[in-house]
Amino acid sequence: MIANQKLAQAISSLGFYEFRRMLIYKAIFFGTKVELVDRWFASSKTCSCCGNVQPMPLLKRIYKCGNCGVSIDCDLNAAIDLENAPKNPCTCKKRGIYAWGLLDPTPKG
């Protein structure tokens, strides 16, 4: 799951819901936000340059896009996709939990 065995053991024994709850608590404490992305978002199968979705076996470590021809490390590609995912409104209904506990940061009034 994670390269750091102590962290992996702590998360697996704690459960992901409790880990998420603690992460949101820390975000509120430090004044940051937690971005939520749909669990089925295909970050490792989507090209970070053109958005093309293609099958990607887990054994392949280099992502080669069949549409635009970009060649990038698959972990870096997935990280870029996850970074850009909250900007895309169709990826998840909840855009983020902000530090003040609201789902929408725009002031009402």
Side-chain angles (χ1 to χ4, degrees):
M1 180 168 74
I2 299 175
N4 185 344
Q5 289 297 331
K6 296 246 185 211
L7 180 61
Q9 185 180 9
I11 290 173
S12 65
S13 68
L14 187 66
F16 279 106
Y17 177 78
E18 188 66 19
F19 178 71
R20 177 178 159 183
R21 190 189 67 77
M22 289 177 158
L23 195 62
I24 292 169
Y25 170 79
K26 290 293 184 181
I28 293 169
F29 183 77
F30 288 107
T32 61
K33 64 181 178 176
V34 174
E35 296 284 350
L36 300 177
V37 178
D38 183 28
R39 74 164 49 175
W40 304 113
F41 177 67
S43 62
S44 59
K45 297 179 180 182
T46 306
C47 178
S48 59
C49 292
C50 67
N52 179 41
V53 180
Q54 65 186 22
M56 179 74 180
L58 292 175
L59 296 175
K60 289 179 74 176
R61 302 308 307 156
I62 302 294
Y63 181 87
K64 293 181 183 173
C65 182
N67 192 28
C68 68
V70 71
S71 180
I72 189 171
D73 180 64
C74 66
D75 293 333
L76 179 61
N77 181 56
I80 294 170
D81 284 339
L82 288 173
E83 180 183 18
N84 295 331
K87 298 171 190 161
N88 187 356
C90 65
T91 57
C92 188
K93 291 180 181 69
K94 296 179 183 175
R95 296 205 28 121
I97 296 176
Y98 289 81
W100 46 90
L102 299 173
L103 290 177
D104 186 11
T106 56
K108 307 216 179 346

